[in-house]
Amino acid sequence: MSSMGQEQVRASHILIKHEGSRRKSSWKDPEGRAIAATTRDSAVGRLRAFRSDILTGHARFDDVAASHSDCSSAKRGGDLGRFGRGQMQKPFEEVAFALKIGDISDIVDTDSGVHIILRTG
């Protein structure tokens, strides 16, 4: 029973913030001007294009994260390190734990914005 509580995954993600995001600023957009002008649909469209480029081998996940992610983890290629349950927003956690290592999620919505998640460990 206690071992279940210790379950951890390692994951990277690409976050695109939009007008519905809880915090409308990021390292890329400190004033939040672009974020406030971004609809969820356009954020999802950008992420789908990135995901397609990564899956077809036209781009590397960490490179896309470094250039485009609105999370400060961009500086680490999107790497969030290891985390257990209860540390991330619930929709993010559920998808990250369900992925197999090396798999990339579909679009995940959280209060932060829209994400794609790569499970790395």
Side-chain angles (χ1 to χ4, degrees):
M1 202 168 93
S2 58
S3 65
M4 278 305 287
Q6 309 309 312
E7 187 189 3
Q8 288 195 324
V9 296
R10 185 172 183 177
S12 296
H13 77 138
I14 299 166
L15 166 66
I16 304 295
K17 291 188 174 188
H18 55 76
E19 61 189 3
S21 295
R22 189 175 48 194
R23 280 187 55 243
K24 293 177 188 56
S25 62
S26 77
W27 66 274
K28 285 177 37 213
D29 185 13
E31 307 285 304
R33 289 198 187 102
I35 291 167
T38 301
T39 63
R40 179 188 173 273
D41 284 351
S42 75
V44 167
R46 286 178 61 202
L47 265 188
R48 287 202 190 285
F50 293 149
R51 186 175 186 274
S52 171
D53 284 348
I54 293 161
L55 291 174
T56 56
H58 288 95
R60 288 168 41 104
F61 192 99
D62 54 350
D63 291 340
V64 175
S67 304
H68 299 285
S69 181
D70 280 315
C71 180
S72 57
S73 65
K75 299 176 188 66
R76 301 182 298 278
D79 184 22
L80 293 167
R82 302 191 69 76
F83 55 90
R85 295 201 180 267
Q87 291 180 256
M88 299 290 173
Q89 294 177 64
K90 201 74 183 150
F92 191 98
E93 170 191 302
E94 285 172 0
V95 172
F97 275 82
L99 288 169
K100 293 185 177 70
I101 292 173
D103 281 357
I104 298 175
S105 73
D106 202 349
I107 305 298
V108 180
D109 276 283
T110 70
D111 290 343
S112 300
V114 289
H115 316 246
I116 53 174
I117 305 168
L118 167 64
R119 181 161 173 188
T120 56

